[in-house]
Amino acid sequence: MGIESSCDDTSAAVVTSDKNILSNETYTQLIQHQAYGGVVPEIAARAHLEQIQTVVEAAMLKAQMKYEDLDAVAATAGPGLIGGVIVGTMFAKGIALAHNLPYLAINHLEAHALTARLTHDVNFPYLLLLVSGGHCQFVIVHAPAEYTHLGSTIDDAVGEAFDKTGKLLGLGYPAGPQIEKLAKKGNEKRFSLPKPLHKQPHCNFSFSGLKTAARQLIQNEGPFEDQDLWDFCASFQKTISDILCDRTLQAFQMAREKEPKITALVTGGGVAANQYIRERLHGVTKDQHVPLFTPPIELCVDNGAMIAWAGVEHFRLGRQNSLDFMPRPRWPLEDIHYD
């Protein structure tokens, strides 16, 4: 079983070692946070506490399993909003203690990194592009708990750029899917926006300058409606994609210097659900002569199945954690260690 509670989704799933997702139940807090234009940590933690038992029981019922049928229980132990992380961790520890099950403390970022191995036949080592509301980085995935960090954002995450710009456009929260929908009607060449760090010989990101330019454009030429709005969304989405593709090319060069046998590019995180970005990245991987693997949209966003699968990856290597493992608001991939 896997339990995820790092942000604003309470999710639980049962997954088998042969990649069968028996259940993946999620309670989303979208309505609670929409009025604030983003996730409020205190509200999120309270909602996790109110919903976690119901969600876990629903996952067990759908999987037609009893707790004694499980081999282990895994839960997100960080990074994330610490209130929610504590709720999920303590509930998982309670199940493990009550039913004498092994407990696995899962790094949320690692779960995204390994999800493509649940849905596709992906072999190590591969290059990971993790793009979400809170994270934006390139990592070489050598094996579970073995990662090499190549680059990350020096300011804002790409998902935040989507959401903050969407808020200025009056699109509400979360804005990423709405921008993608409106962009389909627009002219992506209409508005010119900057591409920070373009062509620089590294694979770090920067989105604060793009956010500032977008805000100034909206203030000077807006408010946008109809075709103007569609064109702006298309132009903004294209600029984001141009940045991601340029940085990915640089990441491939850096990755192959360290690991010549990179097998694929894997994308993870909520922004990886954007179909336009997927298509643009596919063009990059085609030129690099490797496949692009992206999990289905429902497994790109936070979910219990990805936590359960990360648990499978470690459990079959004989790993588990003690019940005194402490939840962590920050937990870099390079700091994952097992005895």
Side-chain angles (χ1 to χ4, degrees):
M1 163 169 279
I3 297 174
E4 156 62 17
S5 59
S6 67
C7 191
D8 60 339
D9 287 322
T10 312
S11 187
V14 179
V15 174
T16 68
S17 59
D18 59 354
K19 303 184 177 183
N20 188 10
I21 301 175
L22 300 181
S23 64
N24 191 21
E25 301 298 301
T26 300
Y27 171 80
T28 181
Q29 305 171 13
L30 184 60
I31 295 177
Q32 289 98 313
H33 300 287
Q34 276 183 331
Y36 302 96
V39 178
V40 180
E42 292 81 2
I43 294 175
R46 185 182 299 275
H48 286 305
L49 190 60
E50 292 173 348
Q51 297 296 328
I52 191 165
Q53 181 171 347
T54 300
V55 171
V56 170
E57 289 177 352
M60 293 296 289
L61 181 63
K62 185 169 183 180
Q64 297 182 332
M65 302 271 288
K66 297 180 179 179
Y67 288 114
E68 50 265 34
D69 297 325
L70 298 173
D71 292 303
V73 57
T76 298
L81 300 177
I82 193 61
V85 172
I86 289 173
V87 171
T89 296
M90 296 307 294
F91 201 89
K93 287 180 178 180
I95 295 173
L97 183 62
H99 300 280
N100 195 29
L101 294 170
Y103 161 73
L104 292 112
I106 300 301
N107 181 295
H108 177 84
L109 304 180
E110 181 173 43
H112 279 302
L114 297 173
T115 300
R117 286 173 47 82
L118 168 62
T119 58
H120 300 84
D121 293 325
V122 186
N123 296 318
F124 299 119
Y126 54 84
L127 176 64
L128 169 72
L129 169 59
L130 180 59
V131 279
S132 67
H135 304 280
C136 191
Q137 58 184 295
F138 284 109
V139 176
I140 301 175
V141 183
H142 303 279
E146 294 183 28
Y147 301 93
T148 299
H149 179 267
L150 297 177
S152 58
T153 179
I154 62 175
D155 42 53
D156 304 321
V158 61
E160 182 185 2
F162 270 115
D163 288 335
K164 292 293 178 62
T165 302
K167 185 176 182 179
L168 292 172
L169 294 169
L171 299 181
Y173 174 84
Q178 298 179 66
I179 289 176
E180 180 183 8
K181 181 179 179 180
L182 295 173
K184 294 178 181 179
K185 307 176 184 179
N187 175 8
E188 63 184 23
K189 298 180 180 180
R190 166 84 181 278
F191 294 101
S192 178
L193 292 162
K195 303 169 187 174
L197 305 183
H198 190 66
K199 301 294 185 182
Q200 292 294 309
H202 54 71
C203 59
N204 290 327
F205 300 90
S206 173
F207 293 101
S208 62
L210 172 60
K211 282 180 15 182
T212 298
R215 184 183 71 246
Q216 292 174 343
L217 190 59
I218 294 168
Q219 291 174 343
N220 294 336
E221 301 190 28
F224 294 137
E225 295 181 357
D226 300 329
Q227 192 63 53
D228 291 334
L229 176 61
W230 305 336
D231 291 347
F232 180 86
C233 289
S235 300
F236 184 78
Q237 179 177 256
K238 179 182 182 299
T239 301
I240 292 282
S241 300
D242 287 346
I243 293 170
L244 293 178
C245 289
D246 172 69
R247 300 292 82 201
T248 300
L249 282 172
Q250 296 294 329
F252 266 115
Q253 293 183 22
M254 294 176 63
R256 284 178 169 143
E257 291 176 358
K258 299 177 179 293
E259 189 65 79
K261 296 183 179 179
I262 292 291
T263 64
L265 173 67
V266 167
T267 60
V271 178
N274 183 296
Q275 294 290 340
Y276 178 88
I277 291 176
R278 289 192 191 200
E279 292 173 7
R280 292 290 307 280
L281 289 172
H282 180 71
V284 175
T285 56
K286 185 176 180 180
D287 291 341
Q288 294 295 311
H289 307 292
V290 296
L292 170 67
F293 293 112
T294 302
I297 292 174
E298 64 272 16
L299 297 182
C300 284
V301 297
D302 297 346
N303 65 93
M306 72 180 195
I307 305 302
W309 177 252
V312 169
E313 292 266 26
H314 286 293
F315 186 70
R316 62 189 180 188
L317 292 173
R319 298 167 176 168
Q320 67 181 76
N321 297 97
S322 65
L323 292 179
D324 61 0
F325 189 97
M326 296 295 291
R328 306 173 181 183
R330 294 179 178 83
W331 189 8
L333 282 169
E334 310 90 88
D335 291 347
I336 302 174
H337 303 291
Y338 286 88
D339 296 330

